[in-house]
Amino acid sequence: MADETYEVSEIVDELLTKKRGIKEIIKEMKNVSELMVDLAYSAILFNNNDLAEEVKGLEEEMNKLRLQIEISAMLAARTSEDASKLSGIIRVAAAAESISNAAERIADTVLRDIELHPVLKEALEEAEETVERIIVTAKSGIDGMAIKDIRDNEKYAVDILCIKRGGKWIFDPKWDVKLKTEDMVIVTGFKENVEQFKDLVK
Amino acid sequence: MADETYEVSEIVDELLTKKRGIKEIIKEMKNVSELMVDLAYSAILFNNNDLAEEVKGLEEEMNKLRLQIEISAMLAARTSEDASKLSGIIRVAAAAESISNAAERIADTVLRDIELHPVLKEALEEAEETVERIIVTAKSGIDGMAIKDIRDNEKYAVDILCIKRGGKWIFDPKWDVKLKTEDMVIVTGFKENVEQFKDLVK
């Protein structure tokens, strides 16, 4: 109980210092929940523990975001009319977190080393789009490149979903963001393009 | 209770007559669950009851698909090793259905006419991609066109997520599928492209 109170006050601190509005948090919850579903299915497809671990980490982030939404909504409500309109936001945040919980359960089958039936892998393999996790190295040729240049490159034509830099996530990175050595990048696109991109940056 | 037994036997009949394998069903569950999340957020964004109703309809379809997976897995398992590998499929199906439940809860805020805070709409509006629902008419100019031609058209550049034709859904339609009058089509793409497409087919 003492622990929980401490956690909440930490989250309130973060809310106040970052000065993020409800809008930014709900946008992040939508992005993160959709990303988690992609990553979770990919974790099964590639039987990849790293991707599954990322999903687990994001699920913790989602718990925090949901609590921030609830606290922000309560602090923002001045009248009963306000409160009633804000209740929709609390519900959407709760649903977004349910999506992330389900994604975590999918990822969990990978982390628990449950041996999966080959049919499951086949079903996911036949999906048109795929997701991959790439680490930027000095030799990769994309170190220092802007997101825009990667997206517009004829050879790649992949989309950067997000970047993990020094333990922090950058979701939906702006087009002028430049990749740095040691960034972990989640790319998505048609299977052929993603494979090509992986080969090029190796 | 009698009703429930009847429903299960109906689903088994469907399984046997359609002769769909576990792979096809799990692929469909993945596609439908991801589509439902898109549609649910779009239903809020456009305050669109039709989209919300589609989400509700798809949720019922997901319940059926999950039951079909469970039944198929049980019928397919001959040894305890089989059964253990198939349990992963049952878990993934359960998680996919949880995702669809969450999407339904999001859509439900629209159907219940809960007045939403403008901030929620703003957050969703700022997303890069959007989803729209279009009815094909004889005058729309896309009646009889193949999916491929729409996707490759310079003016449109939108993606057809699925088609509802005579009460049945076609998910991830093949490139040679031709649109027909009265088809309901769910398109996705960058906001400007989808808007342009909507204007053109009106």
Side-chain angles (χ1 to χ4, degrees):
Chain A
M1 198 61 198
D3 269 9
E4 234 175 69
T5 319
Y6 177 65
E7 203 194 293
V8 171
S9 77
E10 227 179 34
I11 285 167
V12 173
D13 273 355
E14 211 182 284
L15 254 180
L16 295 175
T17 50
K18 278 199 188 168
K19 289 207 178 107
R20 285 206 300 180
I22 293 183
K23 189 168 85 179
E24 272 65 43
I25 307 174
I26 205 99
K27 260 169 72 178
E28 187 166 339
M29 286 194 86
K30 177 179 185 288
N31 287 339
V32 176
S33 63
E34 290 176 346
L35 173 68
M36 285 175 71
V37 173
D38 276 348
L39 292 184
Y41 284 125
S42 304
I44 291 186
L45 179 54
F46 304 114
N47 192 22
N48 187 321
N49 278 33
D50 290 337
L51 284 180
E53 287 288 359
E54 294 299 345
V55 174
K56 258 193 131 61
L58 287 171
E59 165 55 16
E60 272 170 46
E61 181 67 20
M62 284 290 281
N63 286 335
K64 235 165 81 177
L65 291 171
R66 180 182 173 184
L67 194 51
Q68 288 187 344
I69 285 282
E70 288 168 346
I71 295 169
S72 304
M74 283 184 273
L75 294 175
R78 288 281 168 271
T79 65
S80 62
E81 205 193 333
D82 270 2
S84 152
K85 283 187 196 170
L86 284 161
S87 76
I89 291 183
I90 291 180
R91 283 177 194 217
V92 171
E97 210 225 314
S98 301
I99 293 172
S100 77
N101 283 338
E104 198 199 6
R105 288 212 305 282
I106 294 175
D108 209 47
T109 55
V110 178
L111 293 177
R112 281 174 193 270
D113 270 331
I114 294 172
E115 207 191 336
L116 295 171
H117 201 280
V119 144
L120 187 56
K121 214 179 157 251
E122 278 171 37
L124 298 175
E125 250 165 11
E126 287 177 13
E128 268 189 349
E129 298 210 350
T130 188
V131 173
E132 268 285 358
R133 183 179 161 281
I134 282 162
I135 306 288
V136 179
T137 62
K139 287 182 186 170
S140 63
I142 52 168
D143 177 29
M145 266 178 92
I147 302 293
K148 190 184 181 315
D149 299 328
I150 291 174
R151 230 189 274 207
D152 291 350
N153 193 306
E154 270 182 28
K155 268 184 264 165
Y156 313 138
V158 292
D159 222 9
I160 309 281
L161 280 180
C162 55
I163 304 167
K164 194 176 186 182
R165 179 174 294 171
K168 291 272 177 202
W169 285 96
I170 306 169
F171 295 104
D172 223 349
K174 293 221 170 70
W175 286 37
D176 55 353
V177 170
K178 285 183 180 151
L179 295 181
K180 288 185 186 171
T181 306
E182 283 181 22
D183 279 353
M184 191 199 85
V185 175
I186 307 278
V187 296
T188 181
F190 288 108
K191 223 184 296 173
E192 316 86 73
N193 293 337
V194 171
E195 285 303 320
Q196 220 166 357
F197 184 67
K198 257 182 75 186
D199 287 344
L200 280 165
V201 303
K202 241 175 201 165
Chain B
M1 198 60 199
D3 269 10
E4 233 174 73
T5 318
Y6 178 66
E7 201 192 297
V8 171
S9 77
E10 225 180 36
I11 285 167
V12 172
D13 274 355
E14 211 182 286
L15 253 180
L16 296 175
T17 51
K18 278 199 189 169
K19 289 208 179 105
R20 284 205 301 180
I22 293 185
K23 189 169 85 180
E24 272 64 44
I25 307 174
I26 205 99
K27 259 169 74 178
E28 186 166 338
M29 286 194 84
K30 177 180 185 287
N31 287 339
V32 177
S33 63
E34 290 175 348
L35 173 68
M36 286 175 70
V37 173
D38 276 348
L39 292 184
Y41 284 125
S42 304
I44 291 187
L45 179 55
F46 304 114
N47 192 25
N48 186 321
N49 277 34
D50 291 337
L51 284 181
E53 287 287 358
E54 294 299 344
V55 174
K56 256 193 134 61
L58 287 171
E59 166 55 17
E60 271 171 48
E61 181 66 20
M62 285 290 281
N63 286 334
K64 236 165 81 179
L65 290 171
R66 181 183 173 184
L67 194 51
Q68 287 188 343
I69 285 284
E70 287 168 345
I71 294 167
S72 304
M74 282 184 274
L75 294 175
R78 287 281 167 272
T79 65
S80 63
E81 205 193 333
D82 270 3
S84 152
K85 282 187 196 170
L86 284 160
S87 76
I89 291 183
I90 291 180
R91 283 177 194 218
V92 171
E97 209 224 313
S98 301
I99 292 172
S100 76
N101 283 338
E104 198 199 7
R105 288 213 305 281
I106 294 176
D108 209 46
T109 55
V110 178
L111 293 177
R112 281 175 192 269
D113 269 331
I114 293 172
E115 206 192 337
L116 295 171
H117 200 279
V119 144
L120 187 56
K121 211 175 158 258
E122 277 171 37
L124 298 175
E125 250 166 11
E126 286 177 15
E128 269 189 348
E129 297 210 351
T130 188
V131 173
E132 268 286 358
R133 184 178 160 282
I134 283 163
I135 307 288
V136 179
T137 63
K139 287 184 186 167
S140 64
I142 53 168
D143 177 29
M145 266 179 92
I147 303 293
K148 190 185 180 315
D149 299 329
I150 291 173
R151 229 188 274 207
D152 291 350
N153 193 305
E154 268 183 28
K155 268 185 262 164
Y156 314 139
V158 293
D159 222 8
I160 309 281
L161 280 180
C162 54
I163 303 168
K164 194 176 185 180
R165 178 175 294 170
K168 290 271 176 203
W169 284 96
I170 306 168
F171 295 104
D172 223 349
K174 293 220 171 69
W175 286 38
D176 54 352
V177 170
K178 284 181 180 154
L179 295 181
K180 287 185 186 171
T181 306
E182 285 182 22
D183 278 354
M184 192 199 86
V185 175
I186 306 278
V187 296
T188 181
F190 288 108
K191 222 182 300 173
E192 315 87 72
N193 293 337
V194 172
E195 286 302 320
Q196 219 166 358
F197 185 68
K198 258 182 73 185
D199 288 344
L200 280 165
V201 302
K202 242 177 199 162

